[in-house]
Every structure is written in structure tokens, then in C-alpha cells.
Amino acid sequence: MRSRSDAPGSNLAFITSIGTAVPDNRIAQDRIAEFMSAVMQLSPAGERKLKALYRRTGIRYRHSVLADYGRKKGEFTFYPNPPDREFPSVEKRMKVYERHATPLAARAAARCLDKRGLPADRLTHLITVSCTGMYAPGTDIELIGALGMKSSVHRLAINYMGCYGAFNGMKAAASIVRAEPDARVLVVCVELCSLHFQNRETDDFLLSNALFSDGAAAFLVEAERGGLEIMDFACDVFSGGKDEMGWYIREAGFEMKLTANVPEVLRVGVPLVLERLLAANGLTRADISCYAFHPGGRRILEVLEAALGLGPGHNAAAYEVLSAYGNMSSCTVLFVLEKLIAGYPAGGETLLFSGAFGPGLSAETALLKIV
């Protein structure tokens, strides 16, 4: 039986459980390409370009709260049908977010707590993370009733930080547990990226439309030893990357700016962040046994492997998650961590480096230990 840290203020914090969930609509990537071509009314040349792009992503399936992505032209219910009608407004998209975000988040959270065998009413803190929708009272308050938490649970909402948002939640949770060893902090990430498809035939929008999907993930942070020990964090905003990635709220939805230069910025910046994190902890790269990167896209993973001198095996969990689910923004790295730690026996003291990347261009990283 695992025991909680018996030394108050011992600075120990552990991720003791991770739970994940995706919507029921599972659509093959080539089917999504057909949907996109129909809605965007692409020319034959444009359709060939789009389908080639989709094949290169390394994604086989994505999930969405919307069934449209798997339907044929003439059967769409959310996106324009026929496609020359006006695309959904922010209001319409946010109404769908309000309807679907909490149930999906609750599924991931319930799985997390079930794995740990912990009743929801024993949670002391709840942190919610999302960048694809906002409303108030929001998911944080709705989860109290959905899961059966005490109404006095302390709440924190981390909004609009992009794909690295889970690390900001992890930082906050670790700080709480280190200050209050009896705290039990649930962090819940939920992202409905598929609500924000934009009908523009530019490289930025074609690329973002090819990658993003919906999902939720939750993790529990405690002072009790087990799972992943949270060792340290490092972050940076990379010079020259500000214009390479952005996430903007416009009249017709949230617009993702994502250029082909993102991998190059990360190639230079991420090794520097890793070296700083290792030096702060008296470690070298030889001490790191595995890696858990947010799979923002296949090219990002390939560039990071080359920059850090890794083989494909080091990043296998990230490729598997990308193939099966696509990019679910802040949730995605937690799917990778869940898959990665399942392959390691408890008590191994294995060090891993994990990171995610977002608008700025910025990176959030963590040094973790599988215990």
C-alpha cells in the first residue's frame, strides 16, 4: 500500500492517476478530407493538394463532438449545407461547447478517480484547462455536481493558453500540494477544437484543419508516492517565433495561425530549455530515459528527434497518440503520458522529459520521474 508523505512541507508532488476520454464520433482522416473538400468547394487541384496534406499528417483517426465530419455532402447539420451559406458564429460554436464540454470532461475525470479509487468528495482543489471555449458559470462549477464534489472545493480556471495548458495546470497543482501535503488536486483539460473549422483556402487554415480534434484528460496530483513524481519545470518564449503560431477570437469563430516554420523554431529552442532544466537539477541527457512530447504534428516530432539525437522509439507513444486521435490541444500530452507510463513497471525510478508548445511561440516543459 502506498503511503502519503509523512513530512509536512516535504516538497513532494505526484501524478497518481490519469484518465482520458474522447467523443463517440470517430472519423477516419481520409473521410475528414472528403468533408473538408465538400464544404470548402475546392477545385480538383485544391482537393488533390488537401488530400496529400492529410496523408502526410501521420493521423489515421480523429474524434469530434460533431457528426458532420463523417457525413456526406447534403447531410451536414452544423457546418453550412449547402456550403455557400454563412459559417457558424462564435455564439453558435460556444453553445455547442457549453453542451458538450462538461460531459466529456466528466468522463475523463471519473476514469481518473476510478483508477485511483478516490471518491470525488475527497478532492480539495479543482483546476480546469481549456482554450477552445469559455462560459460562466463554467465547466469547473458544473463538474462539482457532475462528479459529486463538495461545493467548497477550491477552483481555478486556466483558459486560452493553448496546447501547453496542461503544464500550467500541473504547475499550479504541484505548488498547492507542496504547500499543503493533505491536498488532493484534480486537473481537468477539455478541448473541442473541431468547433473552430474555418473555411479559408490558405496554408495556415488548411494545416490547422488537418490536425486538430476533440478530447479530454484529467490527472490527480497528491503528496502520496506513486505514478509520476513531479520534479521540476522550465519554460521559454522563443525569439522570432511570435508570428508563427496564434489563436485569435474572431466574429466567425476562433482562428488558428500555424505556419510551416513552427518546427524550425522548436528545433533551436527546445534543446536549450532541456539543457537549462537538466543543469538546474544536476543532470545530463544521459539521465533521461524517455520523452513525452505533445504531438502537435508529425513534422514537429521528427524535428525534435533530430535536434535531441533521439530514435523513433523514444517518441513512440507520441506517434501512436497522434495517429489514433490527432492534436487535441492541451489534452494530448496527457494521452501520451498515460500510454507511456503504462509500459513501465512501478518502482523503476525512470526519468522522463515532457513538453508542449503553443502561441508565442512558447514551450512549457517538465522533468518527471516514473516511480
Side-chain angles (χ1 to χ4, degrees):
M1 179 177 178
R2 296 178 298 183
S3 60
R4 292 176 68 78
S5 172
D6 55 8
S10 60
N11 271 349
L12 296 179
F14 299 86
I15 298 173
T16 56
S17 181
I18 300 175
T20 57
V22 291
D24 293 336
N25 297 311
R26 177 176 180 259
I27 308 109
Q29 180 77 327
D30 56 359
R31 180 67 195 88
I32 297 174
E34 294 175 6
F35 161 83
M36 293 290 183
S37 179
V39 174
M40 299 180 74
Q41 298 181 287
L42 297 178
S43 66
E47 183 175 358
R48 287 193 297 272
K49 176 182 176 182
L50 181 136
K51 289 184 176 181
L53 171 64
Y54 276 52
R55 287 193 296 271
R56 291 196 301 269
T57 61
I59 297 170
R60 293 182 62 199
Y61 296 97
R62 288 189 275 168
H63 293 73
S64 173
V65 296
L66 301 172
D68 280 13
Y69 288 93
R71 289 176 171 157
K72 297 179 180 179
K73 186 176 180 180
E75 300 175 354
F76 308 145
T77 59
F78 183 75
Y79 288 114
N81 188 31
D84 56 354
R85 292 180 182 171
E86 185 177 353
F87 256 55
S89 64
V90 172
E91 179 182 3
K92 184 174 181 180
R93 296 175 199 250
M94 289 302 93
K95 284 182 178 179
V96 177
Y97 182 91
E98 291 175 28
R99 185 162 68 249
H100 290 285
T102 296
L104 186 61
R107 283 170 54 193
R111 288 172 182 170
C112 175
L113 295 175
D114 286 347
K115 284 183 179 180
R116 179 68 179 83
L118 184 73
D121 62 5
R122 295 186 63 188
L123 296 170
T124 60
H125 297 73
L126 171 65
I127 299 173
T128 54
V129 179
S130 187
C131 70
T132 50
M134 290 176 280
Y135 63 102
T139 299
D140 57 336
I141 289 180
E142 291 186 1
L143 281 173
I144 293 175
L147 297 174
M149 286 182 269
K150 292 179 180 178
S151 60
S152 58
V153 68
H154 297 284
R155 294 174 290 110
L156 172 65
I158 296 175
N159 294 322
Y160 220 65
M161 298 203 77
C163 295
Y164 56 72
F167 287 96
N168 300 94
M170 193 183 300
K171 285 182 183 180
S175 294
I176 291 167
V177 169
R178 286 166 178 162
E180 306 173 40
D182 289 330
R184 288 184 168 91
V185 186
L186 182 68
V187 183
V188 184
C189 304
V190 60
E191 305 289 6
L192 306 185
C193 306
S194 69
L195 301 184
H196 301 294
F197 164 43
Q198 297 292 319
N199 185 18
R200 299 188 191 178
E201 196 175 346
T202 66
D203 289 345
D204 282 4
F205 287 114
L206 290 176
L207 180 57
S208 61
N209 289 339
L211 297 174
F212 288 95
S213 56
D214 302 350
F219 59 98
L220 183 65
V221 179
E222 306 174 86
E224 180 166 338
R225 182 177 177 82
L228 287 169
E229 182 177 354
I230 302 172
M231 305 290 292
D232 201 0
F233 298 96
C235 62
D236 209 344
V237 178
F238 300 136
S239 175
K242 182 179 179 180
D243 295 329
E244 307 305 333
M245 186 187 298
W247 190 221
Y248 306 100
I249 300 177
R250 304 298 191 220
E251 289 185 7
F254 295 11
E255 295 184 2
M256 167 58 73
K257 179 178 182 181
L258 185 64
T259 77
N261 294 327
V262 168
E264 179 61 23
V265 176
L266 297 179
R267 183 190 69 79
V268 176
V270 172
L272 298 177
V273 178
L274 172 57
E275 292 300 333
R276 193 170 76 243
L277 183 59
L278 293 173
N281 289 274
L283 301 168
T284 67
R285 289 193 192 180
D287 295 306
I288 305 298
S289 299
C290 52
Y291 295 78
F293 290 120
H294 164 69
R298 189 176 72 177
R299 181 59 181 159
I300 287 175
L301 296 178
E302 292 171 345
V303 166
L304 290 176
E305 287 171 0
L308 297 174
L310 307 179
H314 288 101
N315 240 355
Y319 281 108
E320 290 172 13
V321 168
L322 180 66
S323 174
Y325 302 104
N327 183 342
M328 299 167 285
S329 192
S330 68
C331 316
T332 323
V333 73
L334 296 169
F335 279 68
V336 176
L337 286 170
E338 181 185 43
K339 180 175 287 289
L340 185 63
I341 62 177
Y344 284 82
E349 300 282 318
T350 302
L351 283 176
L352 72 90
F353 175 66
S354 185
F357 324 103
L361 186 66
S362 51
E364 294 281 348
T365 70
L367 179 64
L368 305 169
K369 183 191 294 182
I370 303 173
V371 297

